[in-house]
Amino acid sequence: MKDYMVKDINLAEGGEKRIEWAGGRMPVLSQIRDRYEREKPLENVNVVACLHVTVETANLILALRAGGAKIALTAANPLSTQDDVAAALASAGIKTYAFRGESDEDYYKCLNDALELNPDILLDDGGDTITAVHAAEKTQKIKGACEETTTGVIRHRARAKENKLAFPLIAVNDAETKMMFDNRYGTGQSTIHGVMNATNILLAGKVVVVAGYGWCGRGVALRAKGLGSNVVVVEINPRKALEAVMDGYRVMPMLEAAKIGDLFITATGDTSVIRGEHIALMQEGAILANTGHFNVEIKVNDLEELAVEKKEIKENVVEYRMKDGRKLYLLSEGRIVNLAAAYGHPPEVMDMSFANQALCVRYIVEHYEELRNEVYSVPKNIDEEVARLKLKSLGVEVEVLTEEQQKYLSSWDLGT
Ligand code: ADE
């Protein structure tokens, strides 16, 4: 088997420069990398990573390698690979199996090639690698895994609930220093970037329908509002729906929103959020995009069935003409628009996400014997360390409690 499968190894030089640029904006991960270089905590550890192959991911991979790990990298999505980055990693000797535009068959071939490394640790984004090793019953050597995203965590919790998880797993997604920053500000900015890159539409004055008001949806709504859009939120959870109302958005079911939206963005992690019955109601020119992990949130099959003609307008934009003459536009095949049509989350937030990943890999190596085959939260001390290091890198100091204040907070007998 070849040590890499990338689009064009000659793209490496451009990739190296971009990886360095991003690394300069990832100070927490850089510090961890320096520490790992000195301490080598990952010597003799094989890591298979199924992540979006971006400049930020490259910096994580290089930090793990500095710690002594052997790594094989495969893509977490057929459209998210930055080919220059894949080339740079492959030429730096990392086993890299990823290229933009993989078919489903290529995707699984790359994943299985990466698994040939015989991993001790898995890093997953979305859960496909963890599903694959369970299906192939290749879990014996695996000491543990980390999951990067909400969709994956949902799948692993379901598996664990049925006692079918074969190794401990850390839900990196749920760390506060991950979810509140990467999911909100990362998804918010990069999703809008993806839509703008693909379409260059003016967002001011548009009705933007955001489906899902978790951290990702909140971020998308916030940024669309900031650009002057009139944001409508579609949400199933009453507490989150109420939050959206008080954040100043209109909230309604998709059947209502479908009639008024200019741009639809799904960020739910669930399937069939936009389907035939909604597509039938949409206005001429409506644009549909998904920023959830899998391409199931917009029912593309329904769009295909309802359309009488389909044509590619440009990369990442396909026009569907309906029987009644309306034209609707689908971005990036309904795949994760922020990575398919833009660069994904900026390095400043991936710094915290991947610092958590790097520290959790070490945690598993040092603690796997005490862990059960369950889904664990990121240890509090890791989450707090990431916040502390990030603040330090920003030159921000926090207030310190006085002795009197500490005493006050830990007492129960002081009142009016
Ligand atoms: N997920 C979202 N944005 C990402 C990025 N820039 N790199 C890796 N994974 C991501």
Side-chain angles (χ1 to χ4, degrees):
M1 193 187 64
K2 266 179 72 171
D3 273 354
Y4 60 81
M5 169 63 77
V6 300
K7 187 153 283 172
D8 179 359
I9 198 71
N10 297 312
L11 298 172
E13 200 185 329
E16 280 157 20
K17 288 186 199 143
R18 291 204 313 114
I19 292 167
E20 194 181 330
W21 157 270
R25 281 142 193 85
M26 302 178 82
V28 180
L29 188 62
S30 301
Q31 277 188 53
I32 294 169
R33 176 176 165 165
D34 292 344
R35 202 193 302 161
Y36 280 12
E37 187 86 57
R38 289 191 304 274
E39 299 173 6
K40 299 282 177 207
L42 307 179
E43 211 77 84
N44 300 319
V45 176
N46 288 359
V47 177
V48 168
C50 176
L51 299 170
H52 299 295
V53 180
T54 64
V55 284
E56 293 79 15
T57 298
N59 279 284
L60 169 63
I61 298 299
L62 296 173
L64 297 175
R65 185 167 74 171
K70 272 212 197 82
I71 302 150
L73 175 65
T74 183
N77 186 288
L79 280 189
S80 63
T81 297
Q82 297 172 4
D83 287 317
D84 56 343
V85 173
L89 288 172
S91 43
I94 304 285
K95 289 171 178 289
T96 305
Y97 308 95
F99 53 96
R100 184 183 161 96
E102 292 166 2
S103 64
D104 284 358
E105 197 187 349
D106 297 330
Y107 177 83
Y108 279 103
K109 163 101 178 59
C110 287
L111 196 156
N112 286 319
D113 283 352
L115 285 171
E116 293 282 309
L117 186 66
N118 206 7
D120 299 288
I121 307 267
L122 296 178
L123 302 189
D124 213 349
D125 186 327
D128 285 340
T129 314
I130 289 171
T131 302
V133 293
H134 280 85
E137 297 184 1
K138 282 194 182 159
T139 55
Q140 298 77 2
K141 183 171 176 251
I142 298 173
K143 299 183 171 73
C146 294
E147 172 56 57
E148 169 72 8
T149 201
T150 316
T151 299
V153 171
I154 293 169
R155 292 165 97 189
H156 307 317
R157 281 197 204 286
R159 185 187 291 281
K161 203 166 161 207
E162 292 184 17
N163 292 322
K164 288 189 176 147
L165 186 64
F167 40 75
L169 181 137
I170 301 186
V172 169
N173 177 70
D174 298 356
E176 290 187 358
T177 48
K178 196 276 182 187
M179 190 156 56
M180 294 173 68
F181 302 92
D182 161 320
N183 298 28
R184 177 169 39 179
Y185 303 120
T187 309
Q189 180 170 318
S190 61
T191 299
I192 300 296
H193 184 194
V195 171
M196 286 176 158
N197 255 356
T199 65
N200 198 28
I201 58 165
L202 181 74
L203 282 169
K206 294 281 191 306
V207 176
V208 176
V209 178
V210 178
Y213 205 64
W215 288 111
C216 295
R218 286 182 186 112
V220 174
L222 185 68
R223 293 299 174 242
K225 183 180 179 180
L227 285 163
S229 301
N230 180 339
V231 176
V232 171
V233 170
V234 175
E235 172 56 59
I236 51 118
N237 177 299
R239 202 273 301 150
K240 289 183 187 170
L242 189 56
E243 185 181 346
V245 169
M246 299 221 179
D247 286 345
Y249 307 118
R250 280 185 290 167
V251 175
M252 62 186 80
M254 188 59 87
L255 276 173
E256 293 305 312
K259 297 178 207 160
I260 58 173
D262 298 304
L263 167 66
F264 294 81
I265 301 175
T266 52
T268 69
D270 203 353
T271 191
S272 308
V273 175
I274 293 180
R275 45 189 188 267
E277 59 189 308
H278 307 123
I279 293 165
L281 298 172
M282 287 180 181
Q283 313 182 84
E284 157 66 21
I287 297 170
L288 283 65
N290 164 53
T291 198
H293 184 82
F294 286 117
N295 59 337
V296 295
E297 305 207 14
I298 300 168
K299 257 189 135 179
V300 179
N301 275 353
D302 285 4
L303 202 49
E304 301 262 343
E305 277 169 22
L306 287 165
V308 289
E309 195 192 348
K310 170 183 172 184
K311 75 173 179 224
E312 183 169 9
I313 301 293
K314 62 185 279 280
E315 197 182 9
N316 290 307
V317 185
V318 169
E319 178 185 280
Y320 289 85
R321 191 164 59 79
M322 304 288 123
K323 279 196 198 80
D324 57 12
R326 281 175 308 138
K327 290 177 191 150
L328 304 180
Y329 297 90
L330 178 68
L331 306 190
S332 305
E333 303 169 16
R335 296 191 189 275
I336 196 163
V337 71
N338 61 338
L339 281 141
Y343 294 113
H345 303 351
E348 290 87 343
V349 287
M350 294 314 293
D351 187 25
M352 291 186 278
S353 312
F354 285 162
N356 276 293
Q357 289 278 12
L359 294 173
C360 285
V361 170
R362 180 175 194 164
Y363 180 84
I364 293 172
V365 169
E366 291 172 356
H367 296 273
Y368 72 96
E369 281 166 334
E370 303 143 34
L371 301 176
R372 293 182 298 274
N373 296 346
E374 289 175 10
V375 176
Y376 285 87
S377 302
V378 170
K380 203 96 214 112
N381 62 327
I382 290 184
D383 209 351
E384 281 171 3
E385 185 183 0
V386 172
R388 252 194 320 272
L389 291 173
K390 188 72 182 178
L391 278 173
K392 194 163 170 225
S393 77
L394 295 168
V396 177
E397 273 186 61
V398 294
E399 181 66 303
V400 181
L401 290 174
T402 64
E403 223 173 278
E404 182 199 4
Q405 288 173 318
Q406 274 184 34
K407 202 166 154 204
Y408 183 84
L409 290 177
S410 56
S411 67
W412 46 268
D413 55 349
L414 294 169
T416 309

